[in-house]
Amino acid sequence: MGASVLTTATRSPAAPVEESRGSRFTGWAANYVDERTSISGLVKELGRKIFPDHWSFMLGEVALYSFVVILLSGTFLTFFFQASMTSVIYDGSYAPLKGIEMSNAMQSTLDISFDIRGGLLMRQIHHWAALLFIASIGLHMLRIYFTGAFRKPREINWVVGFILFILAMAEGFTGYSLPDDLLSGNGLRIIDGLIKGIPIVGTWISYLLFGSQFPGTDIVPRLFTLHILLLPAILVAALGIHLVLLVINKHTQFAGPGKTNNNVVGVPIMPTFAAKAGGFFFIIFGVIALIASLFTINPIWTYGPYDPSPVSAGTQPDWYIGFADGALRLVPPHLEWLWGPYTFSLNIFLPVVVLGLFIVVVMFYPFLEAWVTGDKREHHIADRPRNAPTRTAIGAAGVTFYAVLWGAASSDLIATHFLISIEGVITTLQILLIVGPIIAYFVTKRICIGLMKKDREIALHGYESGRIVRLPGGEYIEVHEQLDPYERWRLISFEDYQPLMVRPNAKGEITVAQRVRAGLSNWFFEDRIAPVSRTELAAAHGDAHGALEGDAGAHGAIGH
Amino acid sequence: MAKNSSSPVKSRAAGRRSPLASVALIVIGLMSTGGAYALFTSSATADSSVVKTQVVEEGAKLYAANCATCHGLNLEGSGTGPSLLGVGAAATQFQVGTGRMPLAASGPQAPQKPAQFTDAQVNALAAFVASKAPGPAAPTAAQLTASNDPAKGAELFRINCAMCHNVAGAGGALTEGKYAPSLSGVSAKYVWDAMVSGPQNMPVFNDNNISPEDKANIITYLKYLDKTPSVGGYDLGNLGPVSEGLFIWIFGLGTVVGITIWLTAKSN
């Protein structure tokens, strides 16, 4: 639509006669708008933004579209939800809660579920979309990380994206706490505990947040304000910055024929991509609606209203907070001390600190890597994960660390479903939390280097075809199939890094920072496979194009 | 045996009607009037002594053949099994009726398995165990349906049972490999038996703790959960956010990734 408006508007002076009434109207309308807003420049810039085609480049879009679904369904829910903790007696349709005292928030959520037409579907769409939103953000981040798409000039957008991830988790948690059911109340109790675990000031902050002794009567309205006003406002603003930076930075692409560091090969937004994206939005909406209509999520009527005394078995937060819950389950006991008048509950504070550090390291990883590698160039070609073995290995270690914490959040369900003791599960996960990332690091690095070796071998010698040929002289050789140049380009076009040298600075000194940096750089690039050079390629099959003798020659030259 | 378990109730709740009180009233009614209710009450409380002796003898034989190895010939227990003196008919009915006993193998906890005995044999065993020493009685049909308020039952279930059995009765983990089993599809009488006898790691909920009507309410709620289909669609095992999270990652995100691959593959 936008593009056709644009083209009509610019072309209309050249061919005014042949246009139909409809296109004359659109032309006039576009001109009218453009003269008053100068929007054509923006439309031209946006409309010509190029999207390369790769499935993994659509994960961010999935997050965006699920967010739109969340906004739509959430707006519906606000029409009926009462963010109040006033005590009422339930008298709705659900028999096993009739006559039970609960908060207004819980009652209105039950009414949405049982007495408002379409309400339960909307609730389930909202909740499932939220789970998909954060899951797709997670996968999107993994894609960015493992392809090195966070490198210059996209470091800032990585940070913005990471803030979006944190905001999404905060949105999720505040939303999870709103119905004031037993599960969410237990979740809030844990948050209360985490806050109270902060040395010295924790108790004060807890009273400030809850307005009184936990749970008080203020927390649901406060979380509601955060959930529908403050957090979404920040989230939308950050999302805007994220998308603008995406346009400014252009999209990364995988190496391929015609794809260089200086261009972007793909489809422009207008008109094809926009149409496809619009369709994709409805597909995502459809998938969410299908899941929401077939599968229960958060059946608050089973959990019942919040009451501080009961805690159900299998009480867990939604998946994205699971890693924090897992950290609390894995921390060893007896880490609390009384120093003076203050209690120091390190068994709670320690996980908070460790997770905080983990989050900060992930958030600033692009800057750490840039400093270590000393790479100040712009990168628009996405790495294949194997071609950056150390980064991929660090990523695998991080994923393992997160996954162990995540798994620990369901330690009780692991125990019951695999018929093992919960102590065994906890001890195993405690060990895995430390040892797992180390193993993952080395295994991944070796696998990456192995794959690079294989790539190099294939680029130089081609595939083993399995065809054995006997030469006139009696010698047997196996014919190697050569790659076509397009395929080969994919295998050989990656950048070669060297460890940084320790160099004295302007004053002729070698600083400690320099040494650390050189050490880290050495660790990063010590084990590496150089990409196939032009000369190697020429030597390997300069004379080897398809001919049998050539193959044999190449074979001999490499010394097999 | 029945009198033993009902006597504390009588002394406690003088003004309230309880199923045990009504049973007792019926017994008194029978003793004073006899007549029309004789058949009904005789099956619930008082077997004729001849039949009762026969049943106990039958139970004694079954006991000697199947249980005495571990629990001792006189229920006194041994190194491999606890004493059964005073466990009552409820415990026997629960353990043997659900197949937990006889134990197939030692482990952290006796698992439920297909029952080895018929209901008649289970009742005989229960009568035998109860005849040796007084203990909690198995419920009568009237007791199980004495009250039917699912809301009250649900509230009590959340307060007393959900921490081990999960709010939806889906079960949960305990320490050292033990677990609270799922309660879906468990017969009302076994739920009652478990509450009054406290099998394995479960605490006892006697009549002072949860009144007989409230036990019936809890059973009403569990039956409500069994009978009512999940309103929001398939319940994913009622395991809460863990199964929801697994579902969205495997099936939700799996579907979406499949779609993205399909979309980008078409244009190439």
Side-chain angles (χ1 to χ4, degrees):
Chain A
M1 179 71 187
S4 64
V5 167
L6 178 72
T7 45
T8 329
T10 47
R11 279 183 202 157
S12 51
V17 190
E18 294 155 30
E19 295 201 349
S20 68
R21 184 179 294 178
S23 66
R24 257 183 293 145
F25 174 74
T26 46
W28 171 82
N31 203 34
Y32 183 92
V33 173
D34 188 36
E35 281 177 358
R36 281 154 188 81
T37 58
S38 307
I39 205 169
S40 63
L42 188 65
V43 171
K44 196 170 157 190
E45 185 61 32
L46 270 179
R48 298 198 54 208
K49 165 153 179 65
I50 305 291
F51 274 95
D53 245 1
H54 189 269
W55 71 267
S56 68
F57 296 165
M58 298 177 88
L59 295 169
E61 264 183 88
V62 176
L64 180 65
Y65 300 150
S66 18
F67 181 61
V68 175
V69 174
I70 291 171
L71 282 182
L72 293 175
S73 54
T75 308
F76 177 92
L77 295 177
T78 57
F79 295 158
F80 304 101
F81 179 69
Q82 305 285 328
S84 148
M85 289 174 90
T86 315
S87 180
V88 293
I89 303 290
Y90 179 73
D91 193 28
S93 301
Y94 187 67
L97 285 175
K98 255 191 204 296
I100 298 287
E101 191 183 355
M102 58 181 64
S103 69
N104 211 342
M106 175 73 181
Q107 187 202 33
S108 58
T109 316
L110 285 169
D111 286 346
I112 290 172
S113 307
F114 292 104
D115 295 304
I116 286 164
R117 204 163 292 240
L120 181 58
L121 180 64
M122 279 297 177
R123 256 197 72 219
Q124 301 206 136
I125 285 180
H126 192 67
H127 205 142
W128 279 121
L131 293 197
L132 183 66
F133 177 49
I134 310 181
S136 53
I137 292 178
L139 207 57
H140 173 61
M141 279 175 29
L142 289 176
R143 197 282 289 175
I144 302 290
Y145 178 86
F146 283 108
T147 60
F150 55 79
R151 289 172 299 171
K152 191 183 171 184
R154 296 180 184 80
E155 308 101 312
I156 294 178
N157 219 13
W158 166 271
V159 174
V160 174
F162 197 79
I163 290 170
L164 279 170
F165 177 59
I166 304 269
L167 283 170
M169 290 198 293
E171 273 286 31
F173 190 81
T174 51
Y176 162 97
S177 303
L178 288 183
D180 203 23
D181 60 312
L182 187 59
L183 187 68
S184 72
N186 287 329
L188 272 179
R189 187 46 149 171
I190 294 175
I191 293 292
D192 177 50
L194 283 180
I195 292 170
K196 284 183 174 145
I198 301 170
I200 302 173
V201 292
T203 315
W204 298 97
I205 297 178
S206 164
Y207 271 72
L208 191 67
L209 179 67
F210 290 92
S212 70
Q213 176 99 302
F214 177 88
T217 52
D218 292 335
I219 189 67
V220 166
R222 285 179 185 179
L223 290 177
F224 186 62
T225 310
L226 292 178
H227 184 71
I228 70 156
L229 182 75
L230 190 63
L231 290 173
I234 305 174
L235 203 150
V236 169
L239 186 62
I241 297 172
H242 197 63
L243 294 180
V244 167
L245 281 175
L246 165 86
V247 173
I248 292 173
N249 288 338
K250 313 260 182 317
H251 210 291
T252 52
Q253 57 191 354
F254 282 111
K259 299 181 178 179
T260 72
N261 207 25
N262 303 318
N263 66 5
V264 193
V265 179
V267 189
I269 284 194
M270 290 299 175
T272 321
F273 185 84
K276 270 174 85 171
F280 190 41
F281 166 70
F282 287 107
I283 291 176
I284 297 298
F285 203 156
V287 168
I288 293 170
L290 194 68
I291 291 174
S293 56
L294 293 178
F295 298 94
T296 309
I297 188 162
N298 200 20
I300 49 155
W301 50 91
T302 346
Y303 298 131
Y306 182 57
D307 166 353
S309 58
V311 179
S312 166
T315 292
Q316 266 96 1
D318 274 351
W319 77 259
Y320 42 85
I321 306 288
F323 74 108
D325 193 69
L328 288 175
R329 291 186 190 212
L330 290 190
V331 72
H334 312 304
L335 288 176
E336 53 286 287
W337 289 287
L338 210 59
W339 281 333
Y342 299 111
T343 311
F344 288 79
S345 290
L346 287 194
N347 51 356
I348 292 173
F349 192 54
L350 196 68
V352 174
V353 171
V354 170
L355 293 182
L357 277 177
F358 180 67
I359 285 172
V360 167
V361 167
V362 177
M363 186 159 161
F364 293 103
Y365 182 82
F367 305 99
L368 296 175
E369 188 185 302
W371 180 69
V372 168
T373 59
D375 188 356
K376 293 193 169 49
R377 293 169 293 179
E378 287 204 358
H379 293 278
H380 299 291
I381 295 286
D383 273 333
R384 298 172 79 210
R386 69 184 61 172
N387 290 339
T390 308
R391 179 203 298 144
T392 304
I394 293 173
V399 167
T400 310
F401 183 76
Y402 183 92
V404 172
L405 290 176
W406 199 19
S410 52
S411 54
D412 53 334
L413 293 174
I414 295 174
T416 50
H417 283 74
F418 296 97
L419 299 176
I420 43 184
S421 88
I422 191 163
E423 290 85 351
V425 176
I426 292 286
T427 313
T428 310
L429 289 176
Q430 281 172 333
I431 295 168
L432 265 183
L433 186 69
I434 310 296
V435 179
I438 298 172
I439 295 174
Y441 174 85
F442 286 108
V443 169
T444 311
K445 193 162 178 179
R446 283 300 124 194
I447 290 175
C448 284
I449 289 174
L451 286 172
M452 284 174 87
K453 278 184 180 162
K454 182 184 133 236
D455 279 357
R456 191 182 159 84
E457 194 67 21
I458 289 173
L460 285 175
H461 306 144
Y463 289 103
E464 291 177 0
S465 66
R467 225 175 98 219
I468 308 293
V469 173
R470 188 183 178 194
L471 297 183
E475 182 195 3
Y476 286 96
I477 60 147
E478 186 190 8
V479 178
H480 280 217
E481 296 273 1
Q482 293 303 323
L483 293 172
D484 65 62
Y486 297 102
E487 281 281 311
R488 189 182 299 126
W489 176 249
R490 214 166 57 84
L491 299 186
I492 62 175
S493 67
F494 59 93
E495 279 160 55
D496 185 25
Y497 287 93
Q498 306 282 335
L500 290 179
M501 301 290 284
V502 184
R503 293 184 201 284
N505 61 10
K507 290 184 194 160
E509 295 162 345
I510 293 173
T511 60
V512 178
Q514 271 286 332
R515 285 185 195 281
V516 171
R517 189 178 175 187
L520 285 174
S521 177
N522 201 39
W523 162 63
F524 234 81
F525 298 122
E526 196 175 29
D527 301 321
R528 65 186 185 281
I529 304 292
V532 177
S533 71
R534 202 179 287 266
T535 39
E536 279 177 312
L537 209 56
H541 40 76
D543 55 344
H545 273 280
L548 200 59
E549 293 83 1
D551 275 332
H555 209 73
I558 299 303
H560 273 267
Chain B
M1 160 196 86
K3 271 180 190 164
N4 269 314
S5 71
S6 63
S7 59
V9 179
K10 271 196 244 168
S11 62
R12 182 183 58 86
R16 278 177 63 84
R17 283 187 58 189
S18 81
L20 286 184
S22 60
V23 168
L25 272 174
I26 291 166
V27 173
I28 293 164
L30 270 173
M31 287 196 292
S32 59
T33 64
Y37 289 108
L39 275 173
F40 172 68
T41 45
S42 69
S43 66
T45 52
D47 284 303
S48 72
S49 59
V50 180
V51 177
K52 198 173 175 181
T53 324
Q54 277 179 351
V55 170
V56 170
E57 277 171 13
E58 161 82 7
K61 283 179 196 156
L62 284 168
Y63 178 88
N66 297 285
C67 321
T69 316
C70 302
H71 292 293
L73 275 170
N74 298 308
L75 287 72
E76 75 277 19
S78 74
T80 48
S83 162
L84 296 183
L85 290 166
V87 300
T92 316
Q93 187 181 53
F94 177 85
Q95 301 283 0
V96 184
T98 62
R100 287 178 166 81
M101 290 289 151
L103 203 56
S106 62
Q109 174 165 329
Q112 193 194 349
K113 58 182 189 297
Q116 190 173 326
F117 301 105
T118 63
D119 280 357
Q121 289 172 318
V122 171
N123 289 340
L125 271 170
F128 169 71
V129 171
S131 73
K132 288 286 182 181
T140 63
Q143 280 177 313
L144 292 176
T145 53
S147 181
N148 56 349
D149 179 354
K152 187 76 194 301
E155 190 179 23
L156 288 168
F157 187 83
R158 284 193 293 274
I159 293 172
N160 294 289
C161 322
M163 47 278 290
C164 301
H165 287 287
N166 163 311
V167 277
L174 302 174
T175 52
E176 306 287 357
K178 295 182 284 264
Y179 56 90
S182 162
L183 297 181
S184 74
V186 176
S187 302
K189 62 178 177 183
Y190 296 137
V191 177
W192 182 289
D193 287 340
M195 283 191 278
V196 296
S197 70
Q200 312 202 24
N201 249 39
M202 184 165 158
V204 172
F205 295 92
N206 64 26
D207 288 351
N208 293 322
N209 196 323
I210 295 179
S211 72
E213 293 101 325
D214 284 339
K215 287 195 177 85
N217 286 334
I218 289 175
I219 289 168
T220 307
Y221 174 60
L222 287 174
K223 292 297 125 190
Y224 179 93
L225 286 182
D226 277 349
K227 279 186 228 135
T228 320
S230 165
V231 286
Y234 182 64
D235 60 21
L236 298 171
N238 269 318
L239 294 174
V242 170
S243 52
E244 292 159 9
L246 269 180
F247 182 85
I248 201 69
W249 271 91
I250 295 171
F251 296 100
L253 209 54
T255 308
V256 165
V257 166
I259 290 169
T260 60
I261 291 174
W262 169 63
L263 282 178
T264 45
K266 279 251 160 173
S267 62
N268 276 341

